[in-house]
Amino acid sequence: MKRTCCLLSVLLFLSCAKVLPVYEIPDITLSDPSFFPTIEAHTDAAIVGGNRIEILLNGDETFPVMLEEIKKAKQTINFAQYLYEDGAIAYALAKAFAERCRAGVQANILLDSHGTNAPDEIPGMMREAGCNVQYFRRVEAPQVVLIWKLLRYNYRNHRRILVIDGRIGFTGGYGIKDTWLGDGRTEGHWRETNARMEGPIVKHLQAGFTESWLEATGALLGGAGYFPRLEARGKLPAQIVKSSPVGGSFQNYMLFLLSITSAKKSILITNPYFIPDDRMINAMLSAAARGVQVIVLVPGKIDHKITYRASRSNYGRMLLGGIQIYEYMPALMHAKTMVVDGIWATVGSTNFDNRSFALNEELNLTVYDGGVAEKLHRIFHEDLKYSKKITYADWEARGLKEKFFELFAFPIRDLL
């Protein structure tokens, strides 16, 4: 048994990829005409106009809107989720999917096998109604026998996608568990930011689902029910940036890095798992050195203590370099957003760590609009009112126990 555990540990380390090294970055800003084509080229994601984007906070704003749209589905529903567990919202969604399947809607439900821990009754309910429920990279018997096949299991599908009739989409960082219910200010629950979208951008969100579905099932999804002709529903330019590191793509890392290095005024980062690599830290420090206000909001309470310790190990040099760091206190901060210069904003599933940048399948919505950016700016500063500002003296005074855990976390930080 011990030998097996050691072998599995070695295999996990061997399967821990890293992003491609970046040594030079072009000297451009968000206001440069060349920024759009540069970001499109390095993220392999088109920026399309004519969209309507609505920011949804926490379970109180997100789940009622999602359930209402599901009930109105006429042809297709595609749903991808990393975390699906037991609870009231898990059953509510499953019942909503099942009801539409009984009405003749084709619903494809893709759950990550690592993050899903729902009782059998939930997928059973959906399947009985005619929904197609599948699992992403599920461990099967041959993988147990041929342990090297478990290397692939380390690459998870962390995307959050809901698309109704190919016309209305949702993404963000939400999980399907009752701790995501509420207003984001309650202890033991999550503070989350998600987005609802309409317009041509939904085609690109749908493509994020069909890509994962093809790998999991070998089935190509297409036709008017999935990809209808989409008219403009607003005026906002947006892009869907999806990364698939197992296929050699690290687009979300490039999105974050290019946007940080292009900032002239401000960078506001909210992220629950904040373990940037040296290149990303240097980019933030360089921004602060040229007068950009850099503020990072992370959890004061978190579900993974080792991740928390690994994150805090970086605080010292960032604080000395002029980066402000706050820890959110009333609830578990899980929002994954960034706002740059008050005109660029992103919301999605990507954590600020190697697992998201180099291991997981991820997806982010990026919006180039002062209105959306201003709303996220207000939300960010409202969250700061419930947060504790960390000073270098605070960080330097941390106890020996915390310093020990930081040392313990360092060798495995790329897996966290």
Side-chain angles (χ1 to χ4, degrees):
M1 181 64 181
K2 288 183 178 179
R3 288 181 179 178
T4 301
C5 290
C6 289
L7 179 57
L8 288 174
S9 298
V10 171
L11 286 170
L12 284 175
F13 275 108
L14 288 173
S15 64
C16 186
K18 290 188 177 183
V19 298
L20 295 174
V22 178
Y23 302 112
E24 295 184 17
I25 299 175
D27 184 17
I28 57 174
T29 64
L30 285 170
S31 59
D32 287 342
S34 62
F35 180 78
F36 271 25
T38 300
I39 205 80
E40 286 179 316
H42 289 286
T43 60
D44 195 25
I47 299 171
V48 296
N51 304 294
R52 179 174 180 262
I53 309 293
E54 181 183 2
I55 299 299
L56 303 172
L57 298 183
N58 311 307
D60 279 357
E61 293 185 5
T62 303
F63 294 129
V65 179
M66 288 176 61
L67 288 166
E68 185 63 28
E69 296 294 356
I70 291 168
K71 290 175 184 176
K72 293 188 286 188
K74 294 180 174 61
Q75 292 181 283
T76 64
I77 298 171
N78 283 341
F79 179 74
Q81 177 57 239
Y82 172 74
L83 192 147
Y84 202 123
E85 297 194 4
D86 198 358
I89 187 58
Y91 277 92
L93 277 170
K95 289 177 181 177
F97 290 140
E99 188 278 327
R100 295 321 295 150
C101 288
R102 284 191 291 269
V105 173
Q106 176 62 51
N108 303 303
I109 314 297
L110 182 62
L111 306 176
D112 186 82
S113 61
H114 180 267
T116 297
N117 188 28
D120 293 340
E121 180 183 359
I122 287 178
M125 178 196 315
M126 293 188 283
R127 283 178 172 140
E128 186 177 342
C131 301
N132 191 353
V133 182
Q134 301 291 340
Y135 290 88
F136 187 83
R137 292 181 186 154
R138 196 161 201 171
V139 176
E140 299 172 353
Q143 291 176 299
V144 176
V145 176
L146 303 172
I147 296 179
W148 60 269
K149 286 193 174 184
L150 285 171
L151 290 173
R152 193 170 179 82
Y153 186 67
N154 195 31
Y155 295 80
R156 310 309 322 152
N157 188 353
H158 201 242
R159 298 172 180 174
R160 273 77 165 176
I161 300 172
L162 172 62
V163 181
I164 311 295
D165 292 331
R167 297 183 181 277
I168 296 172
F170 294 82
T171 194
Y174 64 92
I176 308 306
K177 187 178 179 181
D178 285 355
T179 47
W180 264 271
L181 298 174
D183 63 359
R185 306 282 190 232
T186 306
E187 186 174 358
H189 287 249
W190 291 106
R191 160 68 189 87
E192 190 62 85
T193 301
N194 306 301
R196 177 190 182 276
M197 67 199 80
E198 293 180 80
I201 195 64
V202 177
K203 178 183 74 172
H204 300 273
L205 180 66
Q206 185 79 292
F209 179 88
T210 59
E211 177 185 80
S212 298
W213 186 259
L214 175 62
E215 179 182 335
T217 68
L220 282 167
L221 299 178
Y226 293 105
F227 293 101
R229 180 181 176 85
L230 295 173
E231 304 293 341
R233 301 292 292 172
K235 298 181 180 180
L236 304 185
Q239 66 178 159
I240 292 292
V241 179
K242 51 189 177 69
S243 54
S244 180
V246 74
S249 66
F250 308 97
Q251 283 92 335
N252 277 298
Y253 183 86
M254 298 306 172
L255 173 73
F256 281 45
L257 183 61
L258 278 169
S259 301
I260 288 170
T261 57
S262 300
K264 292 179 65 177
K265 299 176 182 178
S266 61
I267 302 168
L268 309 179
I269 298 170
T270 303
N271 209 278
Y273 306 107
F274 186 73
I275 314 176
D277 63 14
D278 287 340
R279 187 66 189 85
M280 201 72 79
I281 291 174
N282 289 334
M284 288 184 283
L285 289 172
S286 294
R290 63 178 182 267
V292 176
Q293 182 187 51
V294 184
I295 310 177
V296 177
L297 177 59
V298 294
K301 305 169 184 177
I302 199 170
D303 54 341
H304 299 296
K305 288 293 185 183
I306 294 179
T307 302
Y308 177 71
R309 302 304 181 197
S311 176
R312 286 176 65 90
S313 67
N314 290 317
Y315 283 11
R317 58 174 164 155
M318 289 192 288
L319 290 166
L320 288 175
I323 297 171
Q324 299 178 53
I325 300 175
Y326 289 79
E327 291 185 347
Y328 186 74
M329 301 311 295
L332 299 163
M333 174 57 73
H334 199 261
K336 309 160 197 292
T337 67
M338 184 162 66
V339 184
V340 178
D341 287 355
I343 57 174
W344 176 103
T346 188
V347 178
S349 67
T350 306
N351 293 316
F352 220 105
D353 61 12
N354 188 71
R355 171 155 289 281
S356 271
F357 289 138
L359 294 173
N360 289 340
E361 309 269 320
E362 302 284 1
L363 184 143
N364 270 50
L365 166 70
T366 302
V367 185
Y368 300 86
D369 174 70
V372 172
E374 174 58 28
K375 180 168 185 177
L376 287 169
H377 183 277
R378 292 197 306 269
I379 292 166
F380 183 88
H381 283 280
E382 185 66 21
D383 284 336
L384 290 188
K385 296 177 183 178
Y386 297 86
S387 305
K388 175 186 176 183
K389 186 174 184 178
I390 305 300
T391 67
Y392 184 79
D394 294 332
W395 180 80
E396 186 68 17
R398 69 202 189 284
L400 289 174
K401 182 178 179 181
E402 182 169 341
K403 293 178 181 179
F404 170 78
F405 275 108
E406 289 172 10
L407 291 172
F408 173 76
F410 181 79
I412 59 171
R413 57 182 291 164
D414 289 341
L415 284 167
L416 298 174

